Amino acid sequence: MSWGTRTNAQTTPPQESTQHVISKQDLDLLRKDLRSKRKQLIAQNLRLTDDEATEFWPVYDQYVSELIVINDKKFGLIQDYAGNWGKLTNEQSLSFIRESTITAEVHADRV
């Protein structure tokens, strides 16, 4: 009887890269749905009187409107960066960093 070394080679098939593309319309609907659910959650847990609600919800809606503008800008920057990955010059990269920093600072001021 021979006690040789036995090796089992396991081969893993290469995984295919799958890109999931979401249309702008689908993304907009998803974001709208999330905002609606967030507002419902706040309404259920905040327990405002009628007078408080009359004052609170317009301020909240204004805040969300401003936040949408900021998030749209952030999303646009990310899309632009991803679309130009590997093709950016140093100046374009620095410009992206400046824009990202400004957007983050504006967002921080709003929160």
Side-chain angles (χ1 to χ4, degrees):
M1 184 152 141
S2 170
W3 293 97
T5 305
R6 184 174 173 195
T7 321
N8 287 332
Q10 294 183 2
T11 57
T12 306
Q15 294 181 350
E16 292 183 25
S17 173
T18 57
Q19 292 182 347
H20 300 284
V21 178
I22 299 174
S23 72
K24 181 173 176 3
Q25 182 180 9
D26 287 342
L27 186 59
D28 289 343
L29 288 172
L30 175 64
R31 291 175 71 196
K32 185 177 179 180
D33 186 48
L34 290 172
R35 284 191 298 270
S36 174
K37 288 181 184 204
R38 179 176 50 191
K39 190 170 184 175
Q40 290 172 15
L41 184 65
I42 291 170
Q44 289 171 356
N45 291 288
L46 202 49
R47 309 236 190 259
L48 299 171
T49 65
D50 289 341
D51 290 339
E52 291 170 333
T54 300
E55 290 187 34
F56 174 78
W57 289 115
V59 173
Y60 175 82
D61 291 337
Q62 179 64 35
Y63 164 75
V64 169
S65 295
E66 292 173 9
L67 194 58
I68 289 170
V69 172
I70 293 168
N71 287 337
D72 284 347
K73 182 157 181 114
K74 285 175 20 180
F75 185 68
L77 284 170
I78 292 168
Q79 282 184 311
D80 188 38
Y81 183 77
N84 291 299
W85 175 256
K87 299 182 257 178
L88 296 174
T89 65
N90 286 341
E91 184 56 41
Q92 290 170 321
S93 296
L94 291 172
S95 176
F96 174 79
I97 291 169
R98 281 191 294 274
E99 280 294 315
S100 298
T101 302
I102 291 168
T103 302
E105 288 171 355
V106 168
H107 187 170
D109 288 344
R110 301 281 188 214
V111 178

